[in-house]
Amino acid sequence: MSRFRKAVLATALLAVAGFASAQTASPYPGVGRAATPKEIAAWDIDVRPDFKGLPAGSGTVAKGQDVWESKCSHCHGIFGESGEVFSPLVGGVTPEDIKNGRVANLINPAYPGRTTLMKVPTVSTLWDYINRAMPWTAPKSLTTEEVYAVTAFLLNLGGIVPDNFTLSDKNIREVQERMPNRNGMTTKHSMWPGNEFGGAKKSDTSNVACMKDCAPEPKVASFLPDFARNAHGNLAEQNRPVGAQHGVDTTRPEVKRTEVKQGVADPAPAAAPAAPAAVVAQAKPAAAPKAEAAGVDNKAALALTQKNNCTACHAIDKKILGPSFMDIAKKHAGKVDYLAGKIKSGGSGVWGPIPMPAQALSEAEAKTIGAWLAAGAGK
């Protein structure tokens, strides 16, 4: 039993045992309440590598293709090969890998990248992640049949199952025996609690935390020489615009630790030559009209952007995956109908190559958000 399941089961048992006297026996009286069985079941959805937790059901490759093209392809590509938004899911796997259970390209330094099907050893990982987190704009919105179907289609793209395959809880163990990297996983690391998957009881490290004579701050032994800093192009332009890691701007000098302590700011890039006043006047965009003047309810519009997951890709005043709301407002000031239509239909090419999928919100909601953007995207 996984740690998560143990924790959930313990919570459930405590809730059942103490529900009748929760108000008097609780160590935090007046704070919260015991979780109901239905609430616990809603969270207890993880699927283990031995398929405990997997719900009964099935889905065909053909059904998965329909779901994929409508809900998955805008981020992952029609064939799962796209690397524009996330790393590619499909590629790098051969029939020999499926036969042996080890992906040869993982140790091939000449292969250009790593895909999901090259690395993931268990089909349960795919099923579980798709079920919990996909699609990105509406997690947990897929039905059990759709999850089975999309998983089957993804496996089909990788050549693991045939075109006419139906994936189900009855045959998923057979599919596991065809996962390309099924023999590339180790459990000899003590991170899994127990021996049900051949794990190890003894920890792989036994270090003791240092609690005396600690250095007040780390000492950097060396820095990248300035002449080599931008030798391979600007790192900031070589990273995808999503994820936690972003490349440093190597066209600008590195800020040393002493400069940070003294409050010296990161040097800004050289300023562009000033344009003639007449040119500036012609190029300056018209100011966006005030939201209040347009009669827009800012709070209601912002609530709709959160309800419809717009904030997964957009922020008020900074670029995330898509442009900021304020940048959209400046570019399309006053264009209520255009913005509402664009929200509904989606598209790509206006702000870059990353596509925005069509949104399943009502016409009234799209109009409200469009009016808010057209009026300046006020807070």
Side-chain angles (χ1 to χ4, degrees):
M1 181 178 288
S2 69
R3 281 175 286 188
F4 178 76
R5 284 183 173 277
K6 286 180 179 178
V8 170
L9 180 59
T11 303
L13 291 174
L14 288 173
V16 172
F19 188 79
S21 57
Q23 295 300 321
T24 57
S26 172
Y28 306 104
V31 178
R33 59 169 176 77
T36 67
K38 285 187 176 181
E39 289 170 336
I40 294 172
W43 282 97
D44 187 16
I45 61 172
D46 64 309
V47 178
R48 301 193 337 174
D50 59 358
F51 302 109
K52 285 187 177 180
L54 181 72
S58 64
T60 65
V61 171
K63 168 73 173 178
Q65 182 174 2
D66 292 337
V67 178
W68 183 275
E69 291 178 354
S70 63
K71 300 182 179 182
C72 313
S73 61
H74 54 268
C75 283
H76 298 294
I78 295 294
F79 302 105
E81 82 297 349
S82 175
E84 283 189 350
V85 180
F86 301 107
S87 298
L89 302 180
V90 177
V93 171
T94 67
E96 194 67 19
D97 298 334
I98 296 173
K99 178 182 177 181
N100 298 330
R102 294 299 296 267
V103 177
N105 277 326
L106 284 175
I107 56 174
N108 177 8
Y111 194 77
R114 302 290 182 265
T115 69
T116 297
L117 289 186
M118 286 173 62
K119 297 181 293 183
V120 66
T122 53
V123 69
S124 62
T125 302
L126 296 176
W127 202 103
D128 181 79
Y129 189 76
I130 293 169
N131 184 49
R132 287 185 293 108
M134 294 290 108
W136 191 27
T137 54
K140 298 182 183 178
S141 64
L142 298 178
T143 65
T144 299
E145 180 194 8
E146 288 176 328
V147 176
Y148 273 108
V150 168
T151 306
F153 181 68
L154 181 58
L155 295 169
N156 174 255
L157 288 175
I160 300 168
V161 299
D163 295 346
N164 61 350
F165 190 75
T166 300
L167 179 67
S168 72
D169 58 306
K170 306 297 183 185
N171 63 13
I172 198 168
R173 289 168 179 78
E174 299 170 17
V175 176
Q176 174 59 38
E177 295 304 314
R178 290 180 55 79
M179 289 299 288
N181 198 40
R182 62 186 178 275
N183 296 326
M185 178 177 70
T186 178
T187 58
K188 303 295 183 181
H189 45 53
S190 301
M191 296 181 68
W192 185 272
N195 291 328
E196 60 263 70
F197 299 113
K201 289 184 178 180
K202 186 178 179 181
S203 299
D204 49 3
T205 60
S206 57
N207 298 329
V208 178
C210 173
M211 300 303 294
K212 63 179 182 179
D213 300 326
C214 302
E217 63 179 53
K219 294 182 178 179
V220 180
S222 64
F223 286 94
L224 182 69
D226 289 339
F227 69 84
R229 183 171 170 80
N230 199 42
H232 298 285
N234 188 359
L235 293 182
E237 297 176 350
Q238 298 174 33
N239 282 34
R240 292 180 292 110
V242 293
Q245 302 299 324
H246 298 281
V248 66
D249 185 352
T250 54
T251 63
R252 302 161 71 178
E254 183 175 6
V255 177
K256 304 298 189 290
R257 182 179 297 276
T258 54
E259 294 175 342
V260 174
K261 279 186 174 182
Q262 296 168 4
V264 178
D266 195 8
V279 175
V280 173
Q282 293 173 4
K284 185 177 180 180
K290 295 290 184 181
E292 295 79 8
V296 174
D297 187 338
N298 291 338
K299 291 184 178 180
L302 282 168
L304 285 176
T305 64
Q306 294 173 348
K307 171 189 171 184
N308 292 286
N309 296 307
C310 304
T311 49
C313 296
H314 305 278
I316 289 287
D317 54 0
K318 62 181 180 181
K319 173 182 172 60
I320 303 180
L321 185 58
S324 71
F325 290 131
M326 294 186 70
D327 285 341
I328 297 171
K330 290 176 182 177
K331 186 169 185 176
H332 300 295
K335 301 178 182 178
V336 177
D337 292 335
Y338 169 81
L339 290 166
K342 200 67 178 175
I343 292 168
K344 289 284 291 180
S345 64
S348 64
V350 178
W351 296 93
I354 298 175
M356 184 182 85
Q359 302 299 308
L361 73 175
S362 68
E363 293 287 348
E365 289 177 331
K367 199 85 170 181
T368 298
I369 298 174
W372 170 67
L373 291 170
K379 296 181 181 180

